[in-house]
Amino acid sequence: MAKQVSRQKTLPLFDEIGARKPNAQPETVPSNAKRPAPHAEKGVAYVIDSHALIYQVFFAVGPMNSPAGQPVNAVFGFLRDILDIIEKRQPTWLICTFDRSEVTFRNEMFDDYKANRDPMPDDLRCQIPVIQEMLHALNIPVMDIANFEADDIMATIARELNERGDKCFLVTSDKDCRQLITENVKLYNIRKNQVYDEVALLNDWGIRPDQVVDFQAMVGDSVDNVPGIPSIGPKTAQKFLEEFGSLDGLLANVDKLKSEKQRATITNNMELARLSRDLVRLDDRVPIETNWDKARIGDIDLDRSLEMCNQLGFRTFAQRISDLPVVRGPEKWKTNYFMVAEPAELRKLVDKLIHLPCISVDTETTGTNPRAADLVGFSISWETGTACYVPVSSPAGQPFIDIKEAVAIIRPLLENPAIKKIGQNLKYDMSVLRKVGIELAGPLFDTMVADYLLDSGQRNHGIDDLARRYFNHQNTSISELIGTGKNQRLMNEVHVDLVTNYAAEDADIPFRLYPILSQRLTEAGLERLYYDVEMPLVNVLADMEYTGIRVDINVLKRLSKTFAVQIDALQLQIYELAGERFNIDSPQQLATILFDRLKLPVVKKTATARSTAVDVLEELAEHHELPRQIIEYRQFAKLKSTYTDALVRLVNNETQRVHTSFMQDVASTGRLSSKDPNLQNIPIRTATGREIREAFVPDPPEWQLMSADYSQIELRMLAHFTNDEALISAFRSGLDIHASVAAEINGVPIEKVTSEMRRAAKSVNFGIIYGQTPFGLARAIGISKEEANDFIEAYFARYPAVEVFTRSVLTTAFQQGSVSTIFGRQRRIEGVRDPEKLNSLRFLNFSERTAVNSVIQGSAADLIKLAMINVHKRIRKEAVRARLLLQIHDELVLEFDPRELDAVGRLVREEMSNAVELRVPIQVDVEIGPNWSETHPIDFPASGD
């Protein structure tokens, strides 16, 4: 059952009492302002300078996007900090203060106040409302007021708490707030987990809290554009306060200063000093009323909080919020989970289930790699809340059924083609079952794949996540069952009663999800894509994973030694260029060498360090040879660790193959990805990357590998969607599309196109799909920003249909909140601006670039998935001696008997070319060879060519 949480009507937490006159004195209180009511309870309040913290995390957390493509890095970082405060600091009250606008009463005092501040980045601005909505869901007050800054609100709350004798921690790094420090009021630096008090202030500035305003009035503040007194720094200001006690004391005794220059400077800037003091002094009498009952931690709107976490892709935060002590735990489900450990009982159960229309199936194993894991037991569910577990391996002395006998009894049920099989990640179970001689048959419904199709941007589609999102139910975690680290056990080493509950739940949850997800697929119009593409693909991928691809370990070991020699040589060159030995793999030590020793310019900073990322190194390589050597060193080190060394460890001892896992539920565009090993990222543009492909060979050795690759499929999709006559004509004529575009833009015959022209056109062709800006193009091909801008403008002028298509995609995304591929695959997109209000489509934000890319790249992903299904089906139908092994983006890799070269080649070419009909021909380049690297082109005309 769903968790029940108190959902009281939301009341306003703070009442705005009236408008404050800009020049009112701090002690002035509106006549109708309410004084804090006396109370007996003593507590601890945390008051957060929200905008300051949001800015910190926005620049500290790397780029992150919600499942709908909206930037969420600031939301992520801010929510993480809020939860840390609640969990670790355990406040009684928590309040978040915000700046309502850029203009306050201080701007009326001084026009240039904060005039130097950069405007808020667009990718941050759009996250502020999301943060505030999340705070409302967590029942954390959001407080702002016109004409005042957040610091003034913090000052008012701090004064009230200090007067009551409660403890107050101001979560801020703003030095202005040091003036608020008292015995009860302190600052808290969440980044350093440090409390800043009177002692810290004395050690830092050498002054008391009551002197902070005067200190800052003298020194000024370049961040807020507070002028201060010219030429007065912190040490001089501290000395003056030690001698004269205050700014007024200094101004009254300026003639006593020994330095004539200082006397003149201060005398000439007295009014500036007083103005600066008024600017930095916080107003602790802001006309607000604090409802401390509403500020108390608790009464969280759990449903809304978890829904938002789901929308934002914050799986871990959903768990943390559910586990907060102020939230009641979920009620236990009523379940009937039991174990079947006698052959006679299993036969009786199978006789009962064999007549049902559908069942849910799951397997328990000794590991996560299905080709290497051993079966521990089956679990089956056939009605909501009812499931059983059949152990075939368990600790000594505990019940189980012999695996051969269990398989013989249960096979008729699992291989019955009339019974629908429901499950979570069925591809894994199919591989495990195949190892023991069971071919899972019948219509399939995979809850993981269904949830992915419904929301491809969601970061996690695991069963624990689905149970929490759809039922607010907390599954038993695998770590609770088998432990972690050194204490981790295999599943067949865990008490069988514990495994029973865990395994039965894993079958029960998919059975409960089936009607919900099935209905949602129908409502979203995704039934055809799910049943005709994604589910048939599960069978294809299961076959591919089970088969794997043969790897020549000797080749990998030879390359590993070669790379090690290269790495050693590069290390020596790097040390020589640096002038000293250091840890090349340490970003901090590398930064010291680059920026302190070699004095190279700092290109990019993170919140805590100077960046040494590859794009930074590429820019620095124009100034010095060392960054170029570092890039090369990193490339070899990655190839060695990620591929030549890791692949050897991943070779299955029994099959001598690697069995990568293809994942349908990761890429938001619909593309497949792979892991253990990740074969999608083997570099192919470098000689070293191609050398690694040498290790992938056919089995048996007299067979050969075939690579079938879609040629420029995303550009062909672009031509199809735009229906641009020039692009379509170029593809239909079989012209070099990049040379053709270069000729059109430059107004020259195609034979006059230079390599530079073609290179620029190629960058634009692909850049259009990914929203490349003039700056990006200029950097990519080494031309000026103006030249790049002219080139892009010329492109759109020559191909106006491309801009029409882009605008139509953005309009759909803006109006519907999603975009669709050629087969109807949907992706939620947020943050797209109204195209009618955009003057130009040359500078799209991230969400807008994502929208366009999702249509093009997602359609290409749909195409190759359907091609894989058709190729796999036809191989079986025609019984040719060939096996589909890999899918790498737009490429399929097979192994085949060379005696059937013509049949296999034609089959692959025809099915890939005819998977879908476009306005332009689909070209498939086929190559064959003794390994994945040494292949040569061969032509197999498709039927009808």
Side-chain angles (χ1 to χ4, degrees), residues 816-828:
Q816 301 179 9
S818 65
V819 294
S820 300
T821 67
I822 195 170
F823 286 173
R825 183 183 306 277
Q826 299 172 9
R827 183 178 182 183
R828 288 196 296 119

Side-chain angles (χ1 to χ4, degrees), residues 171-228:
V171 183
T172 181
S173 56
D174 193 330
K175 295 177 181 178
D176 289 351
C177 288
R178 295 181 180 186
Q179 64 189 270
L180 305 175
I181 292 173
T182 67
E183 183 179 346
N184 292 323
V185 179
K186 299 175 174 60
L187 310 187
Y188 176 60
N189 186 320
I190 193 170
R191 297 278 79 81
K192 299 179 180 179
N193 192 28
Q194 290 179 350
V195 172
Y196 195 94
D197 56 11
E198 295 169 286
V199 175
L201 177 62
L202 184 64
N203 292 334
D204 194 1
W205 282 354
I207 60 174
R208 304 183 307 271
D210 62 286
Q211 295 175 313
V212 168
V213 172
D214 290 348
F215 178 89
Q216 291 182 285
M218 297 182 202
V219 174
D221 186 344
S222 60
V223 175
D224 290 346
N225 210 34
V226 175

Side-chain angles (χ1 to χ4, degrees), residues 866-926:
L866 189 58
M868 292 170 69
I869 294 167
N870 293 343
V871 168
H872 182 264
K873 186 185 300 182
R874 192 162 160 194
I875 286 175
R876 287 191 165 189
K877 180 182 178 181
E878 298 186 6
V880 295
R881 292 170 57 81
R883 289 184 285 260
L884 187 56
L885 305 179
L886 301 176
Q887 188 261 32
I888 311 295
H889 301 313
D890 302 328
E891 175 187 10
L892 298 184
V893 178
L894 305 88
E895 60 185 3
F896 69 100
D897 186 333
R899 290 172 295 183
E900 302 205 42
L901 170 60
D902 188 65
V904 175
R906 286 180 177 274
L907 175 159
V908 170
R909 176 83 184 280
E910 288 170 5
E911 295 304 333
M912 290 183 70
S913 300
N914 299 323
V916 65
E917 186 175 349
L918 301 182
R919 293 187 175 95
V920 296
I922 297 176
Q923 180 179 328
V924 179
D925 298 328
V926 179

